[in-house]
Amino acid sequence: MAKKVGMEGSLAVSEAVKLANTDVVAAYPITPQTHIVESLAEMVANGDLDAEYIPVESEHSAMSACLGSSAVGARTFTATAGQGLELMHEVLYVASSMRLPIVMAVANRALSSPLSVWGDHSDVMAVRDCGWIQVFAENAQEAHDLVLWAFRVGEDTNVLFPVMVNIDGFNLSHVTEPLLLMEQADVDKYLPVNKYPLPLHPDKPVTMGAFGPPFIYTEAKKAQEVAFQNTKETILKGWDEFEKVFGRRYSPIETYQADDAETLLLTMGSLSETASLAVDNMREQGKKVGLVKIRLWRPFPFEEFRKTVKNANVLVVLDRCLSFGGPGGPVASEVRSALYDQANRPKVVSLIGGLGGRDVTPQNFEYMVDRGLEIAEKGSDSEYEMIGVRK
Amino acid sequence: MADLTWKDMEIGNIITTPGSARAYRTGDWRSDKPIKDYETCIKCGMCWLYCPEAAITIDDDGMYGFDLFYCKGCGICAEECPKKCITMIEEEEV
């Protein structure tokens, strides 16, 4: 039986990294990710985790060290947040195009300036196109589970891509929640040994990261994109197997009270739990409101998403990130694009809130639904609206 | 190499054959190419010594020539030749 414990979200992540018997952790501490790497450093120092802990001088170096360790076939983990993720930016693309199955937890944080250590999704949205598999966790249990799943999926020889597990800074990373801690025997059953097919090894030398002149670069990118699209099957299988071993079910798109809903809220990450409270309130008032949560952000689950929202009239999307001068929040703009060619589709309303750690309450979600319906009916004079701004 | 399709790529574009860079023609970057007056050459080997690309060849008689598959046309051989028997000419003139 899995043990029920009270545990901080960050420690739920590092416990999963320990249970996965990770070989290398290369990381640089940054708020609000610090507790993850602090606790891992402690586990390694105390001999509880037999891994190399590489303290580095920056996040750029952290990800570069991860490339090296993953390239020799070592199970590799790192974690970062906000500015740290942006400093890693160029190396993220190298990890995915070199097909190195690094697992990274991102404790989502706003970007400077003004300097903010608090949570939003500006950091991950800026690396949206970097070719990593990206998922969002809603609570500490999901963070714990998804890290283990990330190793299994990323290292699968049908996948071989890095995986990013997003957990909201502070709201998840620093909150203690009840958690079913996975048993080592179950973890060993679920997660096979990492066998990278072409590792760096003196017995069989290979060249990694060679240059690609114009005659081959396009072919290299096509191969990467096809391989990335094909990860979906293993992603789903990874969740099916997870349910068999641990009894908890995950899906690319998840819903709450969405089946007969006329108006749908769309959220990602920890705010989904708050939004579900608002849905309960509005259901009591007789409003047909439901919630859609995107778990799998990349590769984007187009088919599941379209199927889920097709019968709704209005889809109100809450983005925790601004696209300055753009067509709305990044999530709203993507789902609009995903729905544009569909015969049956809801009107998409783009709202932006929860920036830089600003709380979003159930009342705020109720306002979003009311305002969303108003915009859907009468239109708005801007591409998107920011909610909760003092005037 | 130029007819590889996207299906021929190894995972992560890993190269499994050592030394495959030899097949890459660097000579097509060249805008100037060296020509040589073989009558004046004294086979001193300064061109061979100075060439940064190891693109100077030696034949059985000890005569130096050019490997235009790799020669990038930098002109260092022409500059260093003590007999000034190497001249750089524009590719189009050939």
Side-chain angles (χ1 to χ4, degrees), chain B residues 3 9 12 14 19 21 25 27 29 31 38 43 46-47 62 67 70-71 74-75 79-80 85-86 90-92 94:
Chain B
D3 53 7
M9 310 296 289
I14 290 173
R25 183 189 186 94
W29 306 356
S31 54
Y38 286 88
K43 301 181 184 174
M46 291 296 269
C47 55
D67 185 344
Y70 298 120
C71 170
C74 68
E79 179 69 21
E80 296 296 336
C85 68
I86 301 173
E90 276 188 37
E91 278 285 353
E92 288 117 52
V94 185

Side-chain angles (χ1 to χ4, degrees), chain A residues 36-329:
Chain A
I36 300 174
V37 296
E38 258 178 14
S39 56
L40 283 167
E42 205 172 296
M43 287 170 185
V44 173
N46 291 344
D48 296 331
L49 171 61
D50 182 17
E52 287 293 326
Y53 186 92
I54 310 176
V56 285
E57 71 275 35
S58 76
E59 286 83 359
H60 191 282
S61 305
M63 187 45 65
S64 301
C66 286
L67 296 184
S69 77
S70 190
V72 299
R75 179 164 290 160
T76 304
F77 178 82
T78 188
T80 192
Q83 308 300 126
L85 187 63
E86 305 321 312
L87 185 52
M88 279 181 183
H89 195 112
E90 60 159 328
V91 199
L92 296 176
Y93 283 77
V94 181
S96 56
S97 52
M98 285 175 65
R99 308 283 302 275
L100 299 171
I102 299 157
V103 171
M104 171 161 68
V106 178
N108 301 114
R109 164 179 159 172
L111 296 179
S112 295
S113 126
L115 194 152
S116 168
V117 297
W118 294 274
D120 72 26
H121 292 167
S122 303
D123 55 0
V124 57
M125 290 305 155
V127 302
R128 186 184 65 175
D129 298 329
C130 69
W132 284 52
I133 295 170
Q134 298 174 24
V135 288
F136 280 78
E138 194 174 318
N139 53 43
Q141 183 73 61
E142 293 187 1
H144 186 60
D145 295 352
L146 290 172
V147 166
L148 187 71
W149 164 88
F151 282 115
R152 158 136 178 177
V153 169
E155 291 169 2
D156 191 302
T157 50
N158 293 314
V159 175
L160 297 174
F161 276 103
V163 187
M164 194 184 295
V165 178
N166 290 285
I167 65 168
D168 279 316
F170 293 110
N171 289 27
L172 271 191
S173 65
H174 284 59
V175 171
T176 298
E177 293 183 5
L179 178 82
L180 287 167
L181 204 57
M182 294 181 281
E183 293 277 320
Q184 189 66 59
D186 290 340
V187 170
D188 295 345
K189 207 183 327 170
Y190 180 70
L191 183 63
V193 175
N194 179 25
K195 282 190 184 146
Y196 194 75
L198 287 167
L200 285 178
H201 196 282
D203 291 349
K204 193 177 179 295
V206 295
T207 302
M208 287 184 173
F211 76 128
F215 81 85
I216 201 70
Y217 187 85
T218 308
E219 282 69 23
K221 290 296 122 181
K222 169 77 177 173
Q224 183 182 342
E225 168 64 359
V226 170
F228 195 60
Q229 299 280 0
N230 289 343
T231 60
K232 183 82 175 290
E233 196 184 324
T234 312
I235 286 171
L236 298 179
K237 205 175 119 207
W239 278 329
D240 287 345
E241 293 292 321
F242 192 92
E243 187 183 18
K244 279 182 204 152
V245 177
F246 299 99
R248 291 183 290 280
R249 174 87 201 146
Y250 292 98
S251 305
I253 300 288
E254 294 176 14
T255 59
Y256 181 69
Q257 302 273 31
D259 289 347
D260 64 336
E262 290 165 1
T263 309
L264 286 171
L265 278 166
L266 192 156
T267 52
M268 284 156 88
S270 62
L271 280 183
S272 304
E273 297 209 334
T274 316
S276 66
L277 293 176
V279 168
D280 286 343
N281 287 345
M282 288 182 283
R283 284 275 169 179
E284 274 173 32
Q285 299 158 21
K287 295 179 183 168
K288 284 195 165 176
V289 178
L291 175 64
V292 179
K293 311 178 263 190
I294 301 179
R295 154 110 36 236
L296 180 64
W297 176 230
R298 282 294 185 276
F300 190 87
F302 289 99
E303 196 186 323
E304 292 89 338
F305 175 75
R306 287 174 182 141
K307 211 175 123 200
T308 305
V309 304
K310 70 175 182 342
N311 293 325
N313 299 328
V314 180
L315 177 66
V316 183
V317 182
L318 174 65
D319 265 283
R320 298 187 70 191
C321 173
L322 264 169
S323 166
F324 301 103

